[in-house]
Amino acid sequence: MYRIAKEFQFSASHNLTTLPDGHPCRRVHGHNYKLEVELVAAELNEHGFVREYRDLDLLKTYIDECFDHRHLNDVLDMPTSEVLAKHFYDWCKERWDEVAAVRISETPKIWAEYRP
């Protein structure tokens, strides 16, 4: 199985309103997110690729227009990393059959991944 990945970055704020009062993530705060989309294929295409990396520029456009420097509560109902990972997975899978997983990091030490 061939596996490729591409990383994207964006900055955004959110607050997790279902958490108890006093929890720091209940307050509005921001992250410099890293999003990684992973694609897999058993065979390479006629160009020797799983998928041309430039095809994924469409994801960068979507991130820039809808997520970068936004308050994520205005974009998604529950903007946890887990929900973001599933949202981006679904968006990517509609466009590219080879998508296998999406991973999103809020900080260098934590990440969430959606992989069916």
Side-chain angles (χ1 to χ4, degrees):
M1 189 64 76
Y2 297 95
R3 186 174 311 271
I4 65 169
K6 187 169 181 178
E7 181 180 286
F8 302 86
Q9 297 180 12
F10 65 99
S11 298
S13 66
H14 70 161
N15 59 308
L16 305 179
T17 59
T18 61
L19 293 173
D21 288 338
H23 193 290
C25 292
R26 187 176 171 101
R27 297 188 298 267
V28 175
H29 62 284
H31 297 288
N32 293 317
Y33 289 95
K34 288 187 181 179
L35 183 152
E36 180 181 294
V37 60
E38 178 184 291
L39 297 88
V40 299
E43 303 292 330
L44 299 177
N45 68 18
E46 67 275 11
H47 306 293
F49 299 142
V50 170
R51 162 122 353 229
E52 167 65 55
Y53 285 111
R54 291 179 62 189
D55 292 349
L56 302 177
D57 290 350
L58 189 59
L59 176 56
K60 175 68 171 139
T61 300
Y62 177 60
I63 290 168
D64 288 348
E65 291 177 356
C66 300
F67 291 86
D68 191 38
H69 287 82
R70 305 253 183 213
H71 184 60
L72 297 180
N73 296 68
D74 297 336
V75 180
L76 298 172
D77 288 334
M78 179 82 58
T80 64
S81 290
E82 292 86 346
V83 169
L84 285 164
K86 175 71 161 70
H87 173 83
F88 282 113
Y89 173 87
D90 291 343
W91 190 93
C92 290
K93 190 68 172 179
E94 287 179 13
R95 287 151 182 85
W96 308 297
D97 291 335
E98 305 89 351
V99 173
V102 169
R103 177 183 284 197
I104 191 156
S105 298
E106 293 181 351
T107 74
K109 294 183 180 182
I110 61 170
W111 53 267
E113 179 177 89
Y114 183 81
R115 179 186 302 270

